[in-house]
Amino acid sequence: MDKNSPIGVIDSGVGGLTVLRSLQKSFPHEHFIYLGDTARTPYGIRSREEITALVQELVDYLAAKDIKQLVVACNTITVLGTEVIRGGHPFHVVGMSRGAALALAATKNKRIGVFATDFTVSTLSHQKAIQALDPEAQVFSQGCTKFVPLIEGEKFGTPELADAIGEYTAILKKDQVDTVLLSCTHYPFVKTEVEQAFGPGVTVIDPAEATVLAVQKDLYASGLNRTSGPGRCSIYFTAGLERAKHLAARMLDLKQCDFQEIKL
Ligand code: DGL
């Protein structure tokens, strides 16, 4: 494994860019290849078998680019488990942090909400991670099916997005949560709007920074971190390159990235 090889980053679409933003800030010397499957997003309404088959294509594509580590910037993929995702390739796989410790540090009433895709919610993964640290915590998970198509479709500031945010926040408000995890990497695109809808009594958490710490720990442990020279960033999407670029501009400095549409 060569430390000058790139780090691969995957998501079903543009969501993982919210994680790539933090990765680039923390690791300015690293090279990144981001692959977002915009042709087949959303993944979160699909079955485990379908998601696994799609992920194998993403991972094999990046393996052929000789990546040194794979960051799974997608909760829906992360919950499949590291071995399934790695698919026999030699690199380490780092998935999204469940954000359990962050949520427990923030909550006062131990009532924690999780916004995620239907698939992620069905696995109980976040609930289990939180309750493994504190069995007294109550976890209220809400599948937010409408968010990903609205975000991928750049529907920011529209009544449809406001209605979807209103609908999902109202459910968790009834559950009296004081902390909410954004457990889908698309949702930080609308974090400010979600915070406004909940109001000041609720802390909304994006676990990207906790994920970056896990990436750092793994890179350092394997001695694969680059310590000098400018990092490069290549961003690949499987459809809708221009639209995906607009969305990327909300998260990244586009001057530091090159973009390509690819077929899998
Ligand atoms: N961004 C992904 C996540 O973190 C999922 C989006 C989708 O449903 O495709 O879960």
Side-chain angles (χ1 to χ4, degrees), residues 15-259:
L17 298 172
T18 64
V19 181
L20 183 62
R21 167 180 60 176
S22 301
L23 289 168
Q24 272 194 312
K25 275 194 199 126
S26 299
F27 311 119
H29 305 301
E30 296 293 346
H31 304 315
F32 292 98
I33 302 185
Y34 179 94
L35 176 52
D37 194 4
T38 40
R40 300 179 297 188
T41 196
Y43 281 14
I45 51 167
R46 297 174 188 269
S47 68
R48 179 179 292 271
E49 292 68 31
E50 275 181 291
I51 300 168
T52 304
L54 295 172
V55 169
Q56 260 352 291
E57 290 184 32
L58 302 184
V59 174
D60 289 349
Y61 183 89
L62 289 180
K65 302 267 176 203
D66 280 330
I67 57 169
K68 63 180 178 183
Q69 183 196 48
L70 179 70
V71 179
V72 184
C74 174
N75 292 265
T76 304
I77 300 175
T78 297
V79 296
L80 293 175
T82 304
E83 291 311 313
V84 171
I85 299 165
R86 184 187 299 121
H89 294 294
F91 40 77
H92 288 187
V93 173
V94 182
M96 282 306 293
S97 161
R98 306 301 196 272
L102 291 175
L104 287 166
T107 185
K108 292 194 175 66
N109 69 3
K110 297 199 184 196
R111 298 172 76 84
I112 298 169
V114 175
F115 274 169
T117 66
D118 284 352
F119 181 71
T120 300
V121 169
S122 76
T123 65
L124 304 179
S125 169
H126 292 74
Q127 181 175 333
K128 286 181 194 157
I130 293 165
Q131 287 173 340
L133 294 184
D134 185 344
E136 281 174 16
Q138 283 183 274
V139 180
F140 302 87
S141 300
Q142 179 58 43
C144 305
T145 321
K146 293 178 186 168
F147 280 165
V148 170
L150 289 168
I151 292 165
E152 289 280 341
E154 295 185 271
K155 303 286 186 210
F156 302 106
T158 62
E160 297 100 288
L161 181 63
D163 285 353
I165 292 173
E167 178 186 334
Y168 298 134
T169 52
I171 296 167
L172 290 191
K173 275 186 197 169
K174 271 206 200 114
D175 293 325
Q176 295 177 321
V177 301
D178 70 353
T179 303
V180 175
L181 281 166
L182 298 182
S183 298
C184 166
T185 54
H186 280 74
Y187 304 169
F189 273 99
V190 293
K191 183 171 185 236
T192 309
E193 292 86 335
V194 170
E195 279 171 337
Q196 277 163 2
F198 274 119
V202 175
T203 308
V204 177
I205 297 176
D206 168 7
E209 291 303 329
T211 306
V212 168
L213 287 180
V215 169
Q216 182 180 53
K217 207 169 147 198
D218 180 73
L219 270 183
Y220 286 14
S222 48
L224 284 175
N225 53 310
R226 252 171 72 88
T227 50
S228 62
R232 288 190 305 272
C233 186
S234 299
I235 302 189
Y236 301 149
F237 292 109
T238 53
L241 188 62
E242 285 312 310
R243 185 179 43 78
K245 263 193 196 173
H246 291 158
L247 288 155
R250 291 178 172 258
M251 291 293 145
L252 309 170
D253 177 2
L254 296 196
K255 286 195 295 293
Q256 292 179 18
C257 312
D258 58 83
F259 289 86

